[in-house]
Amino acid sequence: MAVLQRRLAEFAAARDWEQYHTPKNLAAALSVEASELVEIFQWLTPEESARVMKDPATAPRVADEVADVLAYLLQFCEVLGIDPLTALAAKIDRNEQRFPVPEGPDGGEGTGVPDGG
């Protein structure tokens, strides 16, 4: 992860783009790229969306948009000094506390579907 962040930083520095890489601009760019990913799926049925990576015309577009989203997220984290893996681990920990696995009627685990809690 750090290697990719360094490559992204070097890429931006070589083009004098650091001046534009403010948290606000990177957050906006991240949102735009995520929207471009959503656009690919916009009118697909759930079944079609599940098969999107089997379509040779669409799969590269999805992969490119995923890469764009990740690139902007990593740059955003770099600028703000956030370790994305540490942040994710902490968020999972909080969610495990917030949404414990419900017990089923027989005392076993339930469905795991959030109940809106």
Side-chain angles (χ1 to χ4, degrees), residues 1-13 74 78:
M1 186 87 58
V3 171
L4 292 174
Q5 283 178 300
R6 187 171 35 260
R7 285 185 64 193
L8 288 166
E10 290 169 358
F11 182 89
L74 291 176
E78 180 72 19

Side-chain angles (χ1 to χ4, degrees), residues 1-115:
M1 186 87 58
V3 171
L4 292 174
Q5 283 178 300
R6 187 171 35 260
R7 285 185 64 193
L8 288 166
E10 290 169 358
F11 182 89
R15 291 153 181 80
D16 196 29
W17 290 352
E18 296 138 315
Q19 60 187 318
Y20 307 111
H21 287 190
T22 64
K24 179 191 89 56
N25 287 351
L26 290 168
L30 176 57
S31 176
V32 169
E33 295 301 338
S35 295
E36 290 179 8
L37 180 60
V38 169
E39 183 181 28
I40 295 169
F41 292 87
Q42 184 174 7
W43 302 114
L44 300 181
T45 65
E47 296 77 20
E48 290 169 332
S49 71
R51 295 187 307 264
V52 75
M53 294 310 287
K54 293 179 179 157
D55 179 349
T58 308
R61 292 178 51 217
V62 172
D64 279 350
E65 295 308 334
V66 166
D68 288 342
V69 168
L70 183 57
Y72 279 117
L73 180 60
L74 291 176
Q75 291 173 88
F76 180 81
C77 289
E78 180 72 19
V79 165
L80 290 179
I82 297 170
D83 178 325
L85 297 180
T86 300
L88 178 57
K91 181 65 174 184
I92 292 169
D93 289 345
R94 286 191 304 277
N95 282 344
E96 287 174 340
Q97 294 300 312
R98 188 172 169 207
F99 303 107
V101 176
E103 289 190 17
D106 62 354
E109 291 184 1
T111 64
V113 176
D115 62 2

